[in-house]
Amino acid sequence: MKAIVIGPMMLGAPAPSDSEKEKLISNIMDTFAEIEKKLKKTKFLNGPKMYIADVFLFNHIVNVDAFLQLDVRSKFSTISAWMDEVLKDEVVANVHEIFQKTLKEMMANMK
């Protein structure tokens, strides 16, 4: 929930209320459900091959999940399997590993 508060505040907006936070989380989960449906029909977002859209969405899901602690992989098995496929790309895997280390440090500093 920190990211929902931090994001707007970084831009000078007031923090959302608890009910607004709940609605934002609900919208995010609904979006993940739509992505889950799409990925049940195709290996990657745009068909059988991975494109930049997959890498972009992968990074977005990792960020959202890390900051909001939604546990996306356990709640959306198809998204989880797709993320495993995206991580088979060596460049994505290397960047992801570096990002995970940086994210751990950043999250520790936020506490």
Side-chain angles (χ1 to χ4, degrees):
M1 290 283 240
K2 289 179 184 177
I4 290 177
V5 175
I6 292 170
M9 290 173 61
M10 288 173 58
L11 300 173
S17 68
D18 287 344
S19 64
E20 289 172 320
K21 290 178 194 175
E22 287 178 23
K23 184 172 181 181
L24 290 168
I25 294 288
S26 178
N27 289 344
I28 290 168
M29 297 305 278
D30 290 347
T31 300
F32 287 152
E34 289 298 316
I35 294 166
E36 179 90 352
K37 279 189 222 175
K38 166 110 175 110
L39 289 171
K40 285 183 179 188
K41 299 175 186 172
T42 181
K43 184 173 182 178
F44 294 104
L45 291 174
N46 294 309
K49 292 171 45 177
M50 184 171 74
Y51 290 97
I52 192 68
D54 295 284
V55 176
F56 178 83
L57 181 60
F58 173 86
N59 287 322
H60 182 69
I61 291 172
V62 168
N63 286 329
V64 168
D65 199 29
F67 285 104
L68 301 181
Q69 300 172 351
L70 300 174
D71 200 17
V72 172
R73 281 185 172 260
S74 71
K75 293 177 181 166
F76 299 98
S77 61
T78 304
I79 289 176
S80 182
W82 165 80
M83 291 177 80
D84 290 341
E85 285 296 316
V86 173
L87 279 170
K88 287 180 181 177
D89 182 274
E90 186 178 344
V91 174
V92 173
N94 289 338
V95 171
H96 180 67
E97 183 179 339
I98 293 166
F99 175 74
Q100 290 300 307
K101 288 178 187 174
T102 304
L103 183 63
K104 275 186 183 178
E105 292 171 10
M106 190 171 78
M107 295 298 281
N109 291 331
M110 289 177 66
K111 294 181 180 180

